[in-house]
Amino acid sequence: QVQLEESGGGLVQAGGSLRLSCLASGFTFSGYNVGWFRQAPGLEREFVAAISWLNANTYYADSVKGRFTISRDNTKNTGLQMNSLKPEDTAVYYCAASRRFGRLERPESFDYWGQGTQVTVSS
């Protein structure tokens, strides 16, 4: 059974850092695109970052570029290092994985999702 589990969320002051992790079970990330998305209350799920399995290229939303870094290994771990956090980064963060080709900034390109981890940034 394919499962993803995020961890590392919490409460942090603006300007601080957090590192989110996502652990895969039932499969490994080898051959999978990996993405991170977030959803704030009342808003749609939005793209944060992704890494392609094909060429290891990374992609970031403009709002997090230069502050967040996505990483992965080819076993069971992916991470999202978040620096210089802002109150507007407050959201539930989800990791996602897929073997399909597609636009990695779109949630519909991903087949497997974790349950999410809450990140709250106080001003």
Side-chain angles (χ1 to χ4, degrees), residues 37-82:
F37 292 78
R38 66 187 181 187
Q39 188 167 17
L43 299 179
E44 293 186 353
R45 192 166 296 189
E46 67 171 357
F47 170 72
V48 175
I51 187 166
S52 167
W53 73 265
L54 186 62
N55 52 21
N57 283 351
T58 56
Y59 306 89
Y60 296 93
D62 288 344
S63 59
V64 306
K65 203 171 292 183
R67 300 188 298 122
F68 290 12
T69 303
I70 187 173
S71 63
R72 56 169 284 177
D73 59 31
N74 282 331
T75 57
K76 293 181 178 293
N77 298 286
T78 181
L80 185 69
Q81 178 66 41
M82 306 186 297

Side-chain angles (χ1 to χ4, degrees), residues 8-11 18 20 39-41 89-93 116-121:
L11 174 64
L18 282 175
L20 304 184
Q39 188 167 17
D89 294 319
T90 295
V92 178
Y93 283 71
T117 185
Q118 176 70 47
V119 172
T120 303
V121 185

